[in-house]
Amino acid sequence: FELTINLAASVTAYTLKAQVGWVGGKKVNITGAGSATTTIDDCQIGPNSFAPTVLGPPIVLSSVTLADVSSGACLSTTAIGQVLAQTDIVCDSTADAGSYAHFYAFGAGVELTVQPATIKGSSGTHLFADTQSNILENGGGTISGTPAFSVAFAFADSFAILESPTVYSGAATGPRFSATLGAIILGNAPTGDPAGTWFAGNAAGTIATGGKYIGVTDYYGNVSGLPT
């Protein structure tokens, strides 16, 4: 079966903390009345303790603003399974000066997919794939204003994988990407992009301690950043 939760337009923001899932469901749809009128503050999927939790069916978020007020991320998931933020999504970290990510995933088997999002507010990172997790941002993104990303626009750490075949519209400051401790970032460009200029930012991306950046056309023979 499929469960749909409709969130009405609200002056007061909703809080979503999904701790566990169930076996046998198809998916859970959490749908707002529109990103201009429905806000979820500090959206957390999975336990705060980072203990392994099986999510069950995918959770699909749409037509909402995901705001970071105090938790450090607009949307974080630490649950084994799939979380999708798709269709009319805004991520907004303007209220949290200590924000470390717009979208954060942690742990093996944790998958976060982001489709067209409007990006507002400075943060440590826009995308943060941590510790064997997987983040895919696909379908285009629009940057509002000129936010600053102090760590990197896209950051993958500790054997995580971050994929972003995405066109970003708008400008940001800070490093374009960072891949560390064996993590891999798969970028995009028509002819491969060893510099990672596909990502927003005004400083070069970096790799360290076994991290790798790979342009999308490397799959077809244009090798960039692969181990020799």
Side-chain angles (χ1 to χ4, degrees), residues 155-222:
F155 180 34
D157 185 54
S158 300
F159 303 100
I161 297 176
L162 191 158
E163 306 169 65
S164 186
T166 295
V167 177
Y168 295 98
S169 174
T173 63
R176 297 181 185 279
F177 68 86
S178 176
T180 58
L181 290 175
I184 296 174
I185 294 178
L186 304 176
N188 197 3
T191 58
D193 187 10
T197 56
W198 200 255
F199 294 106
N202 64 349
T206 61
I207 56 174
T209 56
K212 298 295 175 185
Y213 173 84
I214 306 172
V216 70
T217 50
D218 294 338
Y219 294 117
Y220 305 99
N222 178 19

Side-chain angles (χ1 to χ4, degrees), residues 8-185:
S10 176
V11 175
T12 303
Y14 293 92
T15 299
L16 174 62
K17 298 182 186 297
Q19 298 291 318
V20 296
W22 69 89
V23 176
K26 184 178 178 182
K27 63 178 177 177
V28 178
N29 300 303
I30 300 174
T31 305
S35 60
T37 57
T38 305
T39 298
I40 299 174
D41 284 347
D42 302 327
C43 184
Q44 298 175 12
I45 311 297
N48 292 332
S49 63
F50 301 104
T53 297
V54 177
L55 188 60
I59 290 181
V60 180
L61 296 154
S62 60
S63 300
V64 295
T65 287
L66 300 170
D68 174 16
V69 175
S70 61
S71 70
C74 299
L75 169 60
S76 63
T77 175
T78 60
I80 298 170
Q82 292 182 309
V83 176
L84 298 91
Q86 64 179 31
T87 313
D88 189 23
I89 294 291
V90 174
C91 56
D92 187 350
S93 61
T94 55
D96 186 3
S99 175
Y100 60 82
H102 288 153
F103 295 102
Y104 176 75
F106 175 95
V110 176
E111 299 181 15
L112 172 59
T113 298
V114 181
Q115 292 189 335
T118 298
I119 300 165
K120 293 182 178 181
S122 299
S123 184
T125 65
H126 171 56
L127 303 171
F128 185 178
D130 193 7
T131 312
Q132 301 179 325
S133 66
N134 188 314
I135 291 181
L136 167 64
E137 183 163 46
N138 191 22
T142 301
I143 302 171
S144 177
T146 309
F149 296 96
S150 57
V151 176
F153 184 80
F155 180 34
D157 185 54
S158 300
F159 303 100
I161 297 176
L162 191 158
E163 306 169 65
S164 186
T166 295
V167 177
Y168 295 98
S169 174
T173 63
R176 297 181 185 279
F177 68 86
S178 176
T180 58
L181 290 175
I184 296 174
I185 294 178

